[in-house]
Structures are given as C-alpha cells and as structure tokens.
Amino acid sequence: MHRTRRETLGLVGGLAATALGGCLAPGEGSGGSGGGETTPTQSTPRSGTDEGTPTDTEGGPPTGTPNGLPEGVERVDTPPYDVEEPECTGDGRDEDYDALYLCANMPAEPSLSFQQRPARGTVFRDEGLQFSPGDDPSGEQLYATLLTDAEDVDRIGTEWDDIRAFVSETDFERRAVLVVQTGWGSGSILPHLKRVAATDDGIHAYGCYTRPCAYTADYTARATVARFERPDALDTGLVSLTVDPATRYTVATDEGVVTIDG
C-alpha cells in the first residue's frame, strides 16, 4: 500500500523491506545534482547544508562540545539554501516529481569522490539503530560511523550481502566508508548524500532525505553506505541531512545514537 506524503504514515507489523515509492536517479560521480553514484541494494533485513562556508567546519578541526558536535555546529538548524517543494497531486500523474528535491539546490562541490548504496534496515550486527518487538522509539534517531579498515566489514550483519560486498571491495589504503542510519519510518524515505567535503581532520558529508510523492507504509530503519576518497586525515566525521524544507539535522560519527525529540 502506498500513501502520499501528505497522509499519515501507517505502521505495518514487522520491519519488512518494500519497494521504493519514488525513483532515485543515479548521480554522475560526486558532481552531479544527485551527489555520489547511487545503486539501490536488494538486501532484506531479518529485522528490522550547506553552502561550503567556514561555518560548515571547513577550514578548522572540530572542537568537542557536550552534545558531541563541534563548537558552532547546531544539532538542528535551517538548510542554508533554498528548497522548492514540488507539487504532489497523489493521482499518479507526477511523472516529473523529484524525490530528491530537498537536495536539488544544495551545492555538490567541493567534494571528495564517492559512491553510495541505500538500504532499509539496521545493517549492523550490534551497534547503531536496533529495534526489538515492543520498542516504541520516540523522536528522530540518527547514527553515523566510519569504517576505516578491512576488518570493519565484520561490523555489518551477515544477512546484508550486498552491503558487505560493497564494503569488502573497498581499497582502505585509498578509501574509507561512511555509514549513516536514520529511523524510524517509511523505507522509501532514505538518507542520500550529495557531497563529502574534506575538513582539516576528517570529513563533513551533506545530504537529504528522499521524499517521494508516494511512499511505502512500512516501519524500518534506513541507511546509506558511502565509499569515499580518503582525505589526508580521517579522525572525525560529521553528517548534515536536510529532512524537510525548513530543517537540517547534524550528527557526528563518534557520538553513538542520537535522538531528536519530535
């Protein structure tokens, strides 16, 4: 069953993965309007901002603060670019509807080269977002982490064949992997990265949620797994996601699961 974005999301028992309600157009490398190359995965889980200004941490190393973010970086802020929301009639006549409209006016450069794979579900064996029957997660949950050597593939659950293969193929001498998880809700509202910028001691990735005109009514965690060109230093990572026309969330890769109250 599909619902429009303007309808209330129905909860379906279990965390079954379902087909996307909108189309994700592959990007052309890191410079295309959609960001890094995207190839949807077919794995099924068993359960389940940017204008490049100095305020976006480019030009200086992050300074730790009590909330885990660099000094001067807000957990919740407004996207520093215009977002034009397309019309969604809900009658199946929106062939030109852009599911990545939240990223459309976000700059794609400067960026390290990267490729990404979206996925539905918890992805990891025993870290990040996890869901057990009876849980009722409140608020938006975010988790981000870096995979920096070949042994890190073992952090991913064995049921995620496509994701494990993608990570296993990484040349960790030249590249690394960023995993971004969000939850909980429709499996068609996925995190998507548009650029991965190098900072003095790591990276700051920028992206958005896919917002298809019609979306699935499942209830699951969502993720994107990005393999990126390794910068000179990789000690820290930040991810900023635009989640609606007026809201952007930021999470660091070393602060665990973050819950933003709704």
Short mmCIF file of all heavy atoms in Angstrom, two decimals, residues 5-70:
data_model
loop_
_atom_site.label_atom_id
_atom_site.label_comp_id
_atom_site.label_asym_id
_atom_site.label_seq_id
_atom_site.Cartn_x
_atom_site.Cartn_y
_atom_site.Cartn_z
N ARG A 5 2.73 11.80 0.66
CA ARG A 5 3.46 12.43 1.76
C ARG A 5 2.52 13.18 2.68
O ARG A 5 2.83 13.39 3.84
CB ARG A 5 4.48 13.43 1.20
CG ARG A 5 5.72 12.80 0.64
CD ARG A 5 6.69 13.86 0.14
NE ARG A 5 6.03 14.76 -0.81
CZ ARG A 5 5.65 16.00 -0.54
NH1 ARG A 5 5.83 16.50 0.64
NH2 ARG A 5 5.07 16.74 -1.46
N ARG A 6 1.42 13.60 2.17
CA ARG A 6 0.52 14.42 2.98
C ARG A 6 -0.39 13.60 3.88
O ARG A 6 -1.16 14.14 4.65
CB ARG A 6 -0.30 15.34 2.06
CG ARG A 6 0.58 16.22 1.19
CD ARG A 6 -0.25 17.11 0.30
NE ARG A 6 0.58 17.80 -0.64
CZ ARG A 6 1.27 18.90 -0.37
NH1 ARG A 6 1.22 19.40 0.83
NH2 ARG A 6 2.01 19.49 -1.30
N GLU A 7 -0.35 12.29 3.76
CA GLU A 7 -1.17 11.44 4.61
C GLU A 7 -0.34 10.94 5.79
O GLU A 7 0.88 10.93 5.75
CB GLU A 7 -1.70 10.26 3.81
CG GLU A 7 -2.65 10.67 2.70
CD GLU A 7 -3.07 9.48 1.88
OE1 GLU A 7 -2.23 8.63 1.58
OE2 GLU A 7 -4.26 9.39 1.56
N THR A 8 -1.02 10.49 6.81
CA THR A 8 -0.34 9.98 7.99
C THR A 8 0.27 8.63 7.69
O THR A 8 -0.37 7.78 7.09
CB THR A 8 -1.35 9.82 9.15
OG1 THR A 8 -1.94 11.10 9.39
CG2 THR A 8 -0.66 9.32 10.40
N LEU A 9 1.51 8.44 8.14
CA LEU A 9 2.21 7.18 7.90
C LEU A 9 1.59 6.07 8.73
O LEU A 9 1.47 6.16 9.93
CB LEU A 9 3.69 7.33 8.28
CG LEU A 9 4.54 6.08 8.16
CD1 LEU A 9 4.62 5.67 6.69
CD2 LEU A 9 5.92 6.33 8.72
N GLY A 10 1.15 4.99 8.04
CA GLY A 10 0.62 3.84 8.75
C GLY A 10 1.73 2.91 9.14
O GLY A 10 2.70 2.75 8.44
N LEU A 11 1.60 2.26 10.28
CA LEU A 11 2.60 1.32 10.75
C LEU A 11 2.19 -0.08 10.37
O LEU A 11 1.08 -0.52 10.64
CB LEU A 11 2.75 1.42 12.27
CG LEU A 11 3.11 2.80 12.79
CD1 LEU A 11 3.37 2.73 14.28
CD2 LEU A 11 4.32 3.35 12.07
N VAL A 12 3.08 -0.81 9.74
CA VAL A 12 2.81 -2.18 9.32
C VAL A 12 3.64 -3.09 10.21
O VAL A 12 4.81 -2.85 10.44
CB VAL A 12 3.19 -2.38 7.84
CG1 VAL A 12 3.03 -3.84 7.45
CG2 VAL A 12 2.31 -1.51 6.97
N GLY A 13 3.05 -4.17 10.70
CA GLY A 13 3.75 -5.08 11.60
C GLY A 13 5.01 -5.60 10.98
O GLY A 13 5.05 -5.95 9.81
N GLY A 14 6.09 -5.66 11.82
CA GLY A 14 7.38 -6.16 11.33
C GLY A 14 8.14 -5.06 10.64
O GLY A 14 7.67 -3.96 10.48
N LEU A 15 9.37 -5.40 10.21
CA LEU A 15 10.24 -4.45 9.55
C LEU A 15 10.56 -4.92 8.15
O LEU A 15 11.68 -4.87 7.68
CB LEU A 15 11.54 -4.28 10.35
CG LEU A 15 11.34 -3.78 11.77
CD1 LEU A 15 12.67 -3.65 12.46
CD2 LEU A 15 10.62 -2.45 11.76
N ALA A 16 9.57 -5.42 7.43
CA ALA A 16 9.79 -5.94 6.08
C ALA A 16 10.18 -4.82 5.14
O ALA A 16 9.62 -3.74 5.17
CB ALA A 16 8.52 -6.61 5.56
N ALA A 17 11.17 -5.07 4.27
CA ALA A 17 11.58 -4.09 3.26
C ALA A 17 10.60 -4.16 2.10
O ALA A 17 10.18 -5.23 1.69
CB ALA A 17 12.99 -4.40 2.76
N THR A 18 10.26 -2.97 1.55
CA THR A 18 9.35 -2.91 0.42
C THR A 18 9.92 -2.02 -0.64
O THR A 18 10.91 -1.33 -0.45
CB THR A 18 7.98 -2.38 0.87
OG1 THR A 18 8.17 -1.13 1.51
CG2 THR A 18 7.28 -3.33 1.80
N ALA A 19 9.29 -1.99 -1.81
CA ALA A 19 9.83 -1.24 -2.94
C ALA A 19 9.72 0.24 -2.71
O ALA A 19 8.84 0.72 -2.01
CB ALA A 19 9.08 -1.62 -4.21
N LEU A 20 10.62 0.99 -3.33
CA LEU A 20 10.59 2.44 -3.23
C LEU A 20 9.31 3.00 -3.83
O LEU A 20 8.84 2.54 -4.86
CB LEU A 20 11.78 3.05 -3.97
CG LEU A 20 13.10 3.07 -3.23
CD1 LEU A 20 14.18 3.60 -4.15
CD2 LEU A 20 13.01 3.93 -2.00
N GLY A 21 8.77 4.04 -3.16
CA GLY A 21 7.60 4.68 -3.71
C GLY A 21 7.96 5.74 -4.73
O GLY A 21 7.09 6.26 -5.40
N GLY A 22 9.24 6.14 -4.82
CA GLY A 22 9.67 7.12 -5.79
C GLY A 22 10.95 6.66 -6.43
O GLY A 22 11.55 5.70 -6.00
N CYS A 23 11.38 7.34 -7.47
CA CYS A 23 12.57 6.93 -8.20
C CYS A 23 13.80 7.66 -7.67
O CYS A 23 13.75 8.86 -7.46
CB CYS A 23 12.41 7.23 -9.69
SG CYS A 23 11.11 6.25 -10.45
N LEU A 24 14.92 6.95 -7.50
CA LEU A 24 16.18 7.55 -7.15
C LEU A 24 17.05 7.55 -8.39
O LEU A 24 17.48 6.49 -8.84
CB LEU A 24 16.88 6.76 -6.03
CG LEU A 24 16.13 6.66 -4.71
CD1 LEU A 24 16.99 5.94 -3.69
CD2 LEU A 24 15.82 8.06 -4.20
N ALA A 25 17.30 8.72 -8.93
CA ALA A 25 18.11 8.78 -10.14
C ALA A 25 19.58 8.70 -9.78
O ALA A 25 20.04 9.43 -8.91
CB ALA A 25 17.84 10.10 -10.87
N PRO A 26 20.35 7.80 -10.41
CA PRO A 26 21.79 7.72 -10.13
C PRO A 26 22.47 9.03 -10.45
O PRO A 26 22.14 9.70 -11.43
CB PRO A 26 22.28 6.60 -11.05
CG PRO A 26 21.05 5.80 -11.37
CD PRO A 26 19.92 6.80 -11.39
N GLY A 27 23.47 9.40 -9.61
CA GLY A 27 24.24 10.61 -9.87
C GLY A 27 25.40 10.31 -10.79
O GLY A 27 25.77 9.17 -11.02
N GLU A 28 26.00 11.34 -11.32
CA GLU A 28 27.18 11.21 -12.15
C GLU A 28 28.37 11.58 -11.31
O GLU A 28 28.76 12.73 -11.22
CB GLU A 28 27.07 12.14 -13.37
CG GLU A 28 25.91 11.82 -14.29
CD GLU A 28 26.09 10.50 -15.00
OE1 GLU A 28 27.24 10.05 -15.12
OE2 GLU A 28 25.08 9.92 -15.43
N GLY A 29 28.98 10.58 -10.62
CA GLY A 29 30.10 10.87 -9.73
C GLY A 29 29.66 11.74 -8.59
O GLY A 29 28.53 11.67 -8.14
N SER A 30 30.56 12.61 -8.10
CA SER A 30 30.21 13.48 -6.99
C SER A 30 29.72 14.83 -7.43
O SER A 30 29.25 15.61 -6.64
CB SER A 30 31.43 13.67 -6.08
OG SER A 30 32.46 14.33 -6.79
N GLY A 31 29.83 15.15 -8.70
CA GLY A 31 29.48 16.49 -9.13
C GLY A 31 28.09 16.63 -9.68
O GLY A 31 27.65 17.72 -9.97
N GLY A 32 27.34 15.53 -9.84
CA GLY A 32 26.00 15.61 -10.37
C GLY A 32 25.04 16.19 -9.37
O GLY A 32 25.32 16.30 -8.19
N SER A 33 23.84 16.54 -9.82
CA SER A 33 22.87 17.17 -8.93
C SER A 33 22.42 16.25 -7.84
O SER A 33 21.97 16.68 -6.79
CB SER A 33 21.66 17.65 -9.75
OG SER A 33 21.02 16.54 -10.36
N GLY A 34 22.54 14.93 -8.06
CA GLY A 34 22.11 13.99 -7.03
C GLY A 34 23.21 13.54 -6.11
O GLY A 34 22.97 12.76 -5.20
N GLY A 35 24.46 13.97 -6.31
CA GLY A 35 25.55 13.56 -5.46
C GLY A 35 26.25 12.34 -5.99
O GLY A 35 26.31 12.12 -7.20
N GLY A 36 26.79 11.50 -5.08
CA GLY A 36 27.55 10.34 -5.50
C GLY A 36 26.69 9.32 -6.20
O GLY A 36 25.48 9.26 -6.04
N GLU A 37 27.34 8.46 -6.99
CA GLU A 37 26.65 7.40 -7.71
C GLU A 37 25.85 6.55 -6.74
O GLU A 37 26.34 6.16 -5.69
CB GLU A 37 27.68 6.54 -8.42
CG GLU A 37 27.09 5.30 -9.08
CD GLU A 37 28.18 4.33 -9.51
OE1 GLU A 37 29.35 4.68 -9.39
OE2 GLU A 37 27.81 3.23 -9.95
N THR A 38 24.61 6.26 -7.07
CA THR A 38 23.73 5.51 -6.19
C THR A 38 23.24 4.26 -6.89
O THR A 38 22.73 4.32 -7.99
CB THR A 38 22.50 6.35 -5.78
OG1 THR A 38 22.95 7.54 -5.15
CG2 THR A 38 21.60 5.58 -4.83
N THR A 39 23.40 3.13 -6.22
CA THR A 39 22.86 1.88 -6.72
C THR A 39 22.05 1.23 -5.62
O THR A 39 22.60 0.86 -4.58
CB THR A 39 23.97 0.91 -7.16
OG1 THR A 39 24.76 1.55 -8.15
CG2 THR A 39 23.37 -0.38 -7.71
N PRO A 40 20.71 1.11 -5.77
CA PRO A 40 19.90 0.51 -4.71
C PRO A 40 20.31 -0.93 -4.45
O PRO A 40 20.66 -1.67 -5.36
CB PRO A 40 18.47 0.57 -5.28
CG PRO A 40 18.52 1.64 -6.31
CD PRO A 40 19.91 1.58 -6.89
N THR A 41 20.27 -1.34 -3.18
CA THR A 41 20.55 -2.72 -2.82
C THR A 41 19.24 -3.50 -2.80
O THR A 41 18.16 -2.94 -2.73
CB THR A 41 21.20 -2.82 -1.44
OG1 THR A 41 20.24 -2.42 -0.46
CG2 THR A 41 22.43 -1.95 -1.34
N GLN A 42 19.36 -4.82 -2.84
CA GLN A 42 18.19 -5.68 -2.78
C GLN A 42 18.16 -6.51 -1.51
O GLN A 42 17.41 -7.45 -1.39
CB GLN A 42 18.18 -6.62 -4.00
CG GLN A 42 18.13 -5.87 -5.34
CD GLN A 42 16.94 -4.98 -5.45
OE1 GLN A 42 15.84 -5.33 -5.04
NE2 GLN A 42 17.13 -3.78 -5.99
N SER A 43 19.04 -6.17 -0.54
CA SER A 43 19.09 -6.94 0.71
C SER A 43 17.80 -6.78 1.48
O SER A 43 17.18 -5.72 1.49
CB SER A 43 20.26 -6.46 1.58
OG SER A 43 21.48 -6.66 0.92
N THR A 44 17.40 -7.82 2.17
CA THR A 44 16.22 -7.79 3.01
C THR A 44 16.63 -8.09 4.44
O THR A 44 17.17 -9.15 4.72
CB THR A 44 15.18 -8.83 2.57
OG1 THR A 44 14.80 -8.54 1.23
CG2 THR A 44 13.94 -8.78 3.47
N PRO A 45 16.45 -7.16 5.39
CA PRO A 45 16.87 -7.39 6.75
C PRO A 45 15.99 -8.42 7.45
O PRO A 45 14.82 -8.56 7.13
CB PRO A 45 16.69 -6.00 7.41
CG PRO A 45 15.62 -5.35 6.60
CD PRO A 45 15.78 -5.87 5.20
N ARG A 46 16.58 -9.10 8.41
CA ARG A 46 15.77 -10.04 9.20
C ARG A 46 14.91 -9.29 10.18
O ARG A 46 13.91 -9.80 10.66
CB ARG A 46 16.70 -11.02 9.93
CG ARG A 46 17.39 -11.99 8.99
CD ARG A 46 18.27 -12.95 9.72
NE ARG A 46 19.35 -12.27 10.42
CZ ARG A 46 20.33 -12.90 11.03
NH1 ARG A 46 20.38 -14.22 11.04
NH2 ARG A 46 21.29 -12.24 11.65
N SER A 47 15.32 -8.11 10.54
CA SER A 47 14.51 -7.22 11.36
C SER A 47 14.70 -5.81 10.84
O SER A 47 15.48 -5.51 9.97
CB SER A 47 14.93 -7.29 12.83
OG SER A 47 16.24 -6.81 12.99
N GLY A 48 13.87 -5.82 11.54
CA GLY A 48 14.12 -4.56 11.11
C GLY A 48 13.27 -3.39 11.67
O GLY A 48 12.21 -3.66 12.06
N THR A 49 24.73 21.37 4.12
CA THR A 49 23.76 22.18 4.39
C THR A 49 24.56 23.24 4.10
O THR A 49 25.49 23.59 4.59
CB THR A 49 23.43 21.49 5.60
OG1 THR A 49 24.69 21.01 6.08
CG2 THR A 49 22.47 20.49 5.48
N ASP A 50 23.86 23.59 3.48
CA ASP A 50 25.24 23.50 3.15
C ASP A 50 25.60 24.32 1.93
O ASP A 50 25.08 24.13 0.85
CB ASP A 50 25.53 22.04 2.90
CG ASP A 50 26.74 21.80 2.10
OD1 ASP A 50 27.76 22.36 2.48
OD2 ASP A 50 26.66 21.10 1.11
N GLU A 51 26.47 25.28 2.13
CA GLU A 51 26.98 26.06 1.02
C GLU A 51 28.50 26.05 1.04
O GLU A 51 29.15 26.84 0.36
CB GLU A 51 26.48 27.51 1.08
CG GLU A 51 24.98 27.63 0.80
CD GLU A 51 24.50 29.05 0.90
OE1 GLU A 51 25.11 29.84 1.64
OE2 GLU A 51 23.52 29.39 0.23
N GLY A 52 29.11 25.19 1.83
CA GLY A 52 30.55 25.12 1.89
C GLY A 52 31.19 26.31 2.58
O GLY A 52 32.33 26.65 2.33
N THR A 53 30.48 26.97 3.47
CA THR A 53 31.02 28.13 4.16
C THR A 53 31.85 27.67 5.35
O THR A 53 31.75 26.53 5.81
CB THR A 53 29.88 29.03 4.67
OG1 THR A 53 29.12 28.29 5.61
CG2 THR A 53 28.98 29.45 3.53
N PRO A 54 32.71 28.55 5.92
CA PRO A 54 33.51 28.15 7.07
C PRO A 54 32.67 27.65 8.24
O PRO A 54 33.16 26.90 9.06
CB PRO A 54 34.25 29.46 7.42
CG PRO A 54 34.35 30.19 6.12
CD PRO A 54 33.05 29.87 5.41
N THR A 55 31.41 28.05 8.36
CA THR A 55 30.58 27.58 9.45
C THR A 55 30.26 26.09 9.32
O THR A 55 29.77 25.49 10.25
CB THR A 55 29.25 28.36 9.52
OG1 THR A 55 28.59 28.23 8.27
CG2 THR A 55 29.51 29.83 9.79
N ASP A 56 30.54 25.50 8.15
CA ASP A 56 30.30 24.07 7.95
C ASP A 56 31.54 23.25 8.25
O ASP A 56 31.75 22.19 7.69
CB ASP A 56 29.85 23.81 6.51
CG ASP A 56 28.41 24.22 6.29
OD1 ASP A 56 27.64 24.17 7.26
OD2 ASP A 56 28.07 24.60 5.17
N THR A 57 32.43 23.75 9.11
CA THR A 57 33.63 23.10 9.65
C THR A 57 34.78 23.04 8.65
O THR A 57 35.84 22.54 8.99
CB THR A 57 33.36 21.67 10.18
OG1 THR A 57 33.21 20.76 9.08
CG2 THR A 57 32.16 21.61 11.08
N GLU A 58 34.65 23.55 7.44
CA GLU A 58 35.78 23.56 6.54
C GLU A 58 36.72 24.69 6.95
O GLU A 58 36.32 25.81 7.16
CB GLU A 58 35.30 23.76 5.10
CG GLU A 58 34.46 22.61 4.60
CD GLU A 58 33.93 22.87 3.20
OE1 GLU A 58 34.68 23.45 2.39
OE2 GLU A 58 32.79 22.48 2.92
N GLY A 59 38.00 24.36 7.07
CA GLY A 59 38.97 25.37 7.42
C GLY A 59 39.43 25.27 8.86
O GLY A 59 40.27 26.04 9.30
N GLY A 60 38.92 24.31 9.63
CA GLY A 60 39.37 24.15 11.00
C GLY A 60 38.90 22.85 11.59
O GLY A 60 37.83 22.36 11.24
N PRO A 61 39.68 22.25 12.50
CA PRO A 61 39.28 20.99 13.12
C PRO A 61 38.13 21.19 14.09
O PRO A 61 38.02 22.24 14.73
CB PRO A 61 40.55 20.54 13.86
CG PRO A 61 41.29 21.81 14.14
CD PRO A 61 40.99 22.71 12.97
N PRO A 62 37.24 20.21 14.20
CA PRO A 62 36.13 20.34 15.15
C PRO A 62 36.62 20.42 16.59
O PRO A 62 37.64 19.84 16.94
CB PRO A 62 35.31 19.06 14.91
CG PRO A 62 35.71 18.59 13.55
CD PRO A 62 37.15 18.99 13.41
N THR A 63 35.89 21.14 17.40
CA THR A 63 36.16 21.20 18.83
C THR A 63 35.00 20.54 19.56
O THR A 63 33.85 20.90 19.35
CB THR A 63 36.29 22.67 19.30
OG1 THR A 63 37.35 23.29 18.58
CG2 THR A 63 36.56 22.74 20.79
N GLY A 64 35.30 19.56 20.39
CA GLY A 64 34.25 18.80 21.05
C GLY A 64 33.40 19.66 21.97
O GLY A 64 33.90 20.55 22.66
N THR A 65 32.12 19.44 22.01
CA THR A 65 31.19 20.11 22.90
C THR A 65 30.37 19.04 23.62
O THR A 65 30.39 17.87 23.24
CB THR A 65 30.25 21.04 22.11
OG1 THR A 65 29.53 20.26 21.15
CG2 THR A 65 31.03 22.12 21.39
N PRO A 66 29.63 19.41 24.68
CA PRO A 66 28.88 18.39 25.44
C PRO A 66 27.93 17.56 24.60
O PRO A 66 27.67 16.41 24.94
CB PRO A 66 28.12 19.24 26.48
CG PRO A 66 29.00 20.44 26.68
CD PRO A 66 29.58 20.73 25.32
N ASN A 67 27.38 18.11 23.51
CA ASN A 67 26.44 17.32 22.72
C ASN A 67 27.14 16.50 21.64
O ASN A 67 26.48 15.87 20.82
CB ASN A 67 25.37 18.22 22.10
CG ASN A 67 25.93 19.16 21.04
OD1 ASN A 67 27.12 19.16 20.74
ND2 ASN A 67 25.05 19.97 20.46
N GLY A 68 28.48 16.49 21.61
CA GLY A 68 29.21 15.67 20.67
C GLY A 68 29.50 16.31 19.34
O GLY A 68 30.16 15.72 18.50
N LEU A 69 29.02 17.54 19.14
CA LEU A 69 29.24 18.25 17.88
C LEU A 69 30.34 19.30 18.05
O LEU A 69 30.61 19.76 19.16
CB LEU A 69 27.95 18.94 17.43
CG LEU A 69 26.80 18.02 17.04
CD1 LEU A 69 25.57 18.84 16.69
CD2 LEU A 69 27.19 17.10 15.88
N PRO A 70 30.99 19.69 16.96
CA PRO A 70 31.98 20.76 17.04
C PRO A 70 31.37 22.06 17.51
O PRO A 70 30.18 22.32 17.28
CB PRO A 70 32.48 20.88 15.59
CG PRO A 70 32.12 19.60 14.94
CD PRO A 70 30.86 19.14 15.60
#
